[in-house]
Amino acid sequence: MSAPAMPATTRRTLHYFWLVTRSHFGLFAGLVVSTLAYVALLSYANPYLMSMVVDQVSANPVAADEVFAAFGPFALALVAVNVLGQAASKLQDYCMYRLQIAASYDLATMSFDALCNQSMSFHSNRFGGTLVSQTSKFMSAYQLILETLSFPFLPVLCSVVFTCAALIPRVPVYVAVLMVLLVVYACVSYYMYKRILGLNEKAASAQNQLSGELSDSVANILAVKTYGREDYERALFDEANRCVVERDNRRMRASLARGIVTACIAVVIMSAVTVFIIGGNAWYGITPGTLVLMFTYTYTVTNQFNFINNGLQKMNRAFGDASGMTQVLDEPRLVADLPGAPDLRVSNGEIDFRDIGFWYTDGSATTRVFEDFNLHIAPGERVGLVGMSGAGKTTLTKLLLRLSDIQEGSILVDGQDIARCTQQSLRRQIAYVPQESLLFHRTIAENIAYGRPNATPEEIREAARLANALEFIERLPEGFDTITGERGVKLSGGQRQRVSIARALLADCPVLVLDEATSALDSESEQLVQDALSTLMRGRTCIVVAHRLSTVASLDRIVVLDDGRIVEDGPHSELVAQGGEYANLWERQTGAYLE
């Protein structure tokens, strides 16, 4: 039965780790050379010199007054070997630490860039906590592999080379037998190691799922408590936890089986050296020093091979832990910039959706949202998007922001195809205020200045004033230096929304997108936010998504969507007078009688 092939994920993990290592190749080379040097000097040169001393003592007894003359050179050589060996050991420590620090930075950056540059569809289908866990494990896996390479794999290689070099001239038959046994040992270990790789990936996947369940429950702890669903969430967590235990047990049993098999081979190797040592002098005339050397070297190399079991277990765990982020890095980017794409330049804010075709794909199911969709928005025009849920309002704004890419047609801003421009330059021209405020666990000032980090304190304060946020900010004990908490939990909904509006005001973008920006607010907060939004919309091209029609009634134009199609388009008064879909929606919300 042939050994299973190395999983593709493991090969890709090695690819990414090598990319990082290659960029710090000097440190890596220093690590390899220093490791080989200290093993050669401390583990092999020392016993070799001692075997020469033993042979000289056995052959010619030395008088007391001749000790230093006869053995002085050996003593000096031993001191030199140990000094150089210890220096090599410290150099190895230095190279290891420096390489781990540098590589961790590169891997963290690589992971962060991959996550930030993925589409919203990617993030919508994954736990945020799982992605954080995968990033941490990816970095730790590299460090573990590096440590395992330094011990035991490089020492094992060094052991085999020096054992052969020292013993072949003296006992070639013994070396031949030893090498055959070590090859059998290595082949069995590698075969069983590759069989366990798949178990490690499954165990790591279960750990990531457990992290995701924990993150999901903690992030929504208010819903858990207010609905009394602690037992239900605990059951979900317990199910994921039991999966971790089951897969860890399978990995443990496979690792123990491998350890037992390789331990038996190690016993056979030591039995062989015992036979040679017992009869070596009588059968082959082997000198006492060589016998000591045979035992010391064989014991050392066998112990090093025993450590390989532990090393392979660490490698298994490292590749399993790294598999999650490796798959993320290999995930194709659904939204990507074209090579050499220019920045978007916006002066007027004219927007054109031309013959748009867009659909979602979830597995084998395809959901078409737009087909041959066309919409023109003039510079500085304020346009409301209304319609029933699922009509495509929010999707249209996400397509404008390139959070997803269209499959057909084009979207133009000031005559420039946004698919051919860089995503960052596009989004820096559009201020986006969603229904749920997007605040960081930072100060209020930092949150307001997020879209314009070089803003002065005076500019931040003025943006807060225009957003009707200054009054409540100044009442806080630390004012603008108040930490908002994760997702802004320390502030009320209306306060969070006004901070978001202040951010949009300070960014001063020519295009503004409001996605249900007032739907979750109480009446008083809504009035304050509405006043702030009126200030924000002045002189900008605005797209306003709303279910609450009072939000859009004063806009220049209202577009009514139904199943991805425009069914009505015009000012509020005209649409009400037409008695169509918009008029029906208006009547249901206001209870008004149409004249």
Side-chain angles (χ1 to χ4, degrees):
M1 180 178 176
S2 61
M6 181 181 291
T9 305
T10 301
R11 292 196 299 271
R12 293 298 296 164
T13 299
L14 286 171
H15 165 74
Y16 289 119
F17 285 174
W18 172 244
L19 287 179
V20 170
T21 304
R22 190 173 60 186
S23 63
H24 306 285
F25 192 76
L27 289 172
F28 180 70
L31 175 64
V32 172
V33 171
S34 59
T35 300
L36 295 177
Y38 101 77
V39 172
L41 291 167
L42 298 183
S43 298
Y44 286 88
N46 267 332
Y48 189 83
L49 289 171
M50 288 305 301
S51 73
M52 296 173 68
V53 172
V54 170
D55 279 342
Q56 186 161 329
V57 169
S58 302
N60 300 301
V62 178
D65 59 346
E66 298 176 347
V67 169
F68 287 105
F71 297 109
F74 293 111
L76 291 174
L78 283 168
V79 170
V81 162
N82 280 277
V83 169
L84 292 174
Q86 292 298 335
S89 175
K90 299 310 142 194
L91 178 61
Q92 183 213 33
D93 291 342
Y94 171 79
C95 291
M96 172 73 78
Y97 289 141
R98 283 290 309 277
L99 183 54
Q100 285 182 335
I101 292 169
S104 292
Y105 174 85
D106 290 346
L107 291 169
T109 302
M110 182 189 298
S111 302
F112 182 84
D113 288 346
L115 294 174
C116 280
N117 289 312
Q118 272 293 359
S119 67
M120 288 305 299
S121 298
F122 169 90
H123 287 283
S124 297
N125 292 319
R126 286 165 175 81
F127 286 123
T130 297
L131 294 175
V132 172
S133 172
Q134 287 172 342
T135 301
S136 176
K137 288 181 178 180
F138 191 61
M139 296 162 59
S140 298
Y142 179 87
Q143 296 181 1
L144 186 58
I145 289 174
L146 202 62
E147 291 168 2
T148 307
L149 179 66
S150 300
F151 184 82
F153 290 132
L154 283 177
V156 165
L157 176 64
C158 192
S159 297
V160 172
V161 171
F162 280 96
T163 297
C164 291
L167 295 182
I168 282 178
R170 302 186 182 197
V171 278
V173 175
Y174 172 73
V175 173
V177 173
L178 178 62
M179 288 303 110
V180 168
L181 292 173
L182 290 178
V183 167
V184 172
Y185 187 109
C187 290
V188 171
S189 292
Y190 184 63
Y191 172 84
M192 301 186 77
Y193 157 75
K194 290 208 295 185
R195 291 184 64 84
I196 296 174
L197 271 178
L199 296 178
N200 277 278
E201 285 193 16
K202 292 179 180 178
S205 175
Q207 284 282 0
N208 289 332
Q209 182 66 26
L210 182 67
S211 298
E213 291 289 354
L214 178 61
S215 174
D216 202 31
S217 295
V218 171
N220 295 284
I221 191 65
L222 183 61
V224 174
K225 288 186 171 296
T226 53
Y227 282 89
R229 298 286 278 172
E230 290 90 345
D231 291 343
Y232 174 75
E233 292 300 322
R234 190 185 186 284
L236 289 178
F237 181 82
D238 188 63
E239 182 181 354
N241 208 5
R242 288 180 183 277
C243 183
V244 170
V245 171
E246 188 269 333
R247 293 186 180 181
D248 278 345
N249 279 331
R250 289 176 61 188
R251 177 169 61 180
M252 176 198 68
R253 288 191 293 268
S255 297
L256 286 176
R258 181 184 61 197
I260 291 171
V261 171
T262 52
C264 292
I265 299 175
V267 170
V268 172
I269 293 173
M270 290 309 298
S271 299
V273 71
T274 301
V275 172
F276 269 90
I277 289 173
I278 290 173
N281 182 265
W283 299 336
Y284 303 104
I286 300 174
T287 65
T290 301
L291 291 175
V292 170
L293 205 61
M294 288 168 58
F295 178 81
T296 303
Y297 280 10
T298 305
Y299 181 74
T300 300
V301 76
T302 304
N303 265 354
Q304 298 285 12
F305 268 78
N306 275 334
F307 288 132
I308 279 184
N309 279 327
N310 184 46
L312 288 175
Q313 288 180 22
K314 290 180 178 178
M315 293 282 276
N316 275 328
R317 182 169 289 107
F319 283 123
D321 287 348
S323 62
M325 183 49 63
T326 297
Q327 291 168 15
V328 170
L329 292 171
D330 281 345
E331 187 90 10
R333 293 184 183 178
L334 299 178
V335 180
D337 290 339
L338 295 174
D343 286 347
L344 180 72
R345 305 292 181 185
V346 180
S347 55
N348 299 320
E350 181 180 28
I351 300 172
D352 279 291
F353 296 87
R354 292 184 181 175
D355 303 320
I356 298 300
F358 176 73
W359 54 87
Y360 292 110
T361 301
D362 187 3
S364 59
T366 299
T367 304
R368 180 172 283 275
V369 182
F370 295 111
E371 184 173 5
D372 295 327
F373 180 88
N374 289 275
L375 176 64
H376 172 76
I377 301 175
E381 190 174 26
R382 301 174 304 157
V383 176
L385 299 180
V386 302
M388 302 297 289
S389 296
K393 305 181 298 296
T394 295
T395 301
L396 200 62
T397 64
K398 290 182 176 179
L399 295 178
L400 175 61
L401 286 158
R402 278 197 75 195
L403 300 178
S404 296
D405 263 344
I406 56 177
Q407 288 90 359
E408 297 172 347
S410 59
I411 302 174
L412 308 179
V413 176
D414 279 357
Q416 303 160 81
D417 189 341
I418 65 171
R420 299 185 178 278
C421 300
T422 61
Q423 297 174 62
Q424 282 197 0
S425 66
L426 165 68
R427 293 164 190 159
R428 286 173 180 168
Q429 303 295 328
I430 302 174
Y432 177 64
V433 182
Q435 176 180 357
E436 183 180 356
S437 304
L438 307 175
L439 299 189
F440 293 89
H441 184 60
R442 301 169 191 172
T443 66
I444 290 178
E446 287 176 294
N447 273 287
I448 292 175
Y450 191 74
R452 190 176 154 199
N454 60 345
T456 64
E458 292 74 20
E459 290 171 329
I460 294 172
R461 180 183 176 84
E462 178 61 13
R465 186 188 67 79
L466 292 173
N468 287 330
L470 184 59
E471 183 181 355
F472 87 79
I473 293 173
E474 290 185 330
R475 287 202 306 265
L476 297 172
E478 297 182 62
F480 282 92
D481 293 326
T482 301
I483 299 295
T484 62
E486 187 176 10
R487 298 181 182 178
V489 294
K490 293 183 178 180
L491 305 179
S492 70
Q495 290 171 339
R496 289 196 298 269
Q497 202 68 323
R498 279 176 275 166
V499 170
S500 290
I501 293 169
R503 175 194 295 167
L505 278 163
L506 190 59
D508 195 23
C509 301
V511 178
L512 172 65
V513 173
L514 305 175
D515 190 355
E516 299 285 358
T518 63
S519 64
L521 305 179
D522 58 75
S523 298
E524 183 177 355
S525 296
E526 182 185 5
Q527 186 58 54
L528 290 170
V529 170
Q530 287 281 21
D531 293 342
L533 290 176
S534 297
T535 303
L536 178 59
M537 285 191 283
R538 288 176 195 152
R540 294 179 173 85
T541 302
C542 302
I543 298 177
V544 182
V545 176
H547 281 108
R548 195 176 297 179
L549 300 186
S550 58
T551 305
V552 298
S554 61
L555 300 182
D556 303 323
R557 179 175 156 213
I558 297 168
V559 175
V560 184
L561 296 177
D562 182 25
D563 196 23
R565 295 175 295 106
I566 297 177
V567 294
E568 291 180 333
D569 185 352
H572 167 77
S573 57
E574 288 185 11
L575 295 183
V576 171
Q578 288 175 8
E581 180 68 22
Y582 180 81
N584 291 332
L585 291 172
W586 179 258
E587 183 177 11
R588 283 200 296 270
Q589 286 195 14
T590 63
Y593 291 94
L594 301 181
E595 296 180 0

